[in-house]
């Protein structure tokens, strides 16, 4: 069984970019996040028995509130950390997008799909985010 919970087209402003025209200016970002969970349907209708995805949205907003990011890839990694902070999450798909970069395209971004085992292995190898 594959059970997924998603947060689609989550839009917020943050400081991100390497170019002079991007520095010190908040830019619109869009996230799509899919969380794989071991169990989707609870035995009864009780929020305590399901993954409440508010934590993902609120922690992501707190992450980008005052922090400056140079790359989408690093921001993506920090969102992955937030996602795997919940013990019920067994896998993630995170996609970032800067929708306003190029006038001739809907956006530019990156995507990562990772299982909890892969994530833990990367962390143990020191091949994940430094901070």
């Amino acid at each position: 069984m594959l059970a997924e919970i998603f947060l689609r087209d989550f839009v917020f402003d943050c400081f991100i970019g390497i170019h002079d025209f991007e520095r010190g200016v908040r830019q619109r970002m869009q996230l799509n996040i899919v969380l794989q969970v071991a169990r989707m349907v609870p035995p009864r209708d009780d929020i305590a028995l399901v993954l409440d995805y508010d934590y993902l949205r609120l922690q992501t907003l707190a992450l980008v509130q005052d922090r400056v990011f140079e790359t989408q890839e690093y921001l993506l990694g920090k969102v992955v950390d937030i996602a795997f902070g919940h013990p019920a999450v067994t896998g993630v798909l995170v996609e970032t997008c800067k929708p306003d970069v190029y006038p001739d395209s809907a956006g530019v971004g990156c995507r990562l799909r990772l299982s909890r085992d892969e994530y833990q292995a990367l962390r143990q190898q020191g091949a994940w985010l430094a901070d």
Side-chain angles (χ1 to χ4, degrees):
M1 172 174 51
L2 178 62
E4 297 179 329
I5 294 170
F6 60 87
L7 180 60
R8 186 178 319 167
D9 298 335
F10 175 32
V11 178
F12 55 87
D13 292 335
C14 71
F15 296 108
I16 189 165
I18 60 168
H19 301 290
D20 288 341
F21 67 88
E22 296 176 304
R23 296 197 184 268
V25 177
R26 286 191 173 274
Q27 294 185 65
R28 195 163 60 114
M29 285 293 301
Q30 180 176 327
L31 283 180
N32 287 302
I33 306 167
V34 179
L35 305 178
Q36 292 179 351
V37 294
R39 187 180 76 189
M40 172 73 71
V41 181
R44 62 185 182 284
D45 195 12
D46 183 349
I47 189 68
L49 299 176
V50 297
L51 189 147
D52 183 359
Y53 41 81
D54 283 345
Y55 89 96
L56 186 64
R57 185 179 165 278
L58 295 173
Q59 287 187 28
T60 300
L61 288 173
L63 171 69
V64 301
Q65 183 167 356
D66 296 317
R67 188 164 180 169
V68 176
F69 294 90
E70 288 194 357
T71 66
Q72 290 188 63
E73 291 83 354
Y74 194 81
L75 171 59
L76 179 145
K78 298 304 282 181
V79 173
V80 167
D81 284 342
I82 291 169
F84 280 124
H86 196 290
V89 174
T90 60
V92 300
L93 170 65
V94 177
E95 178 181 80
T96 65
C97 180
K98 289 170 74 173
D100 304 321
V101 173
Y102 301 119
D104 58 356
S105 50
V108 61
C110 52
R111 176 183 303 139
L112 178 66
R113 184 182 310 267
L114 203 59
S115 71
R116 182 174 288 278
D117 289 343
E118 291 169 320
Y119 173 74
Q120 289 173 335
L122 288 169
R123 289 180 56 86
Q124 288 173 351
Q125 297 165 10
W128 194 248
L129 307 179
D131 64 348

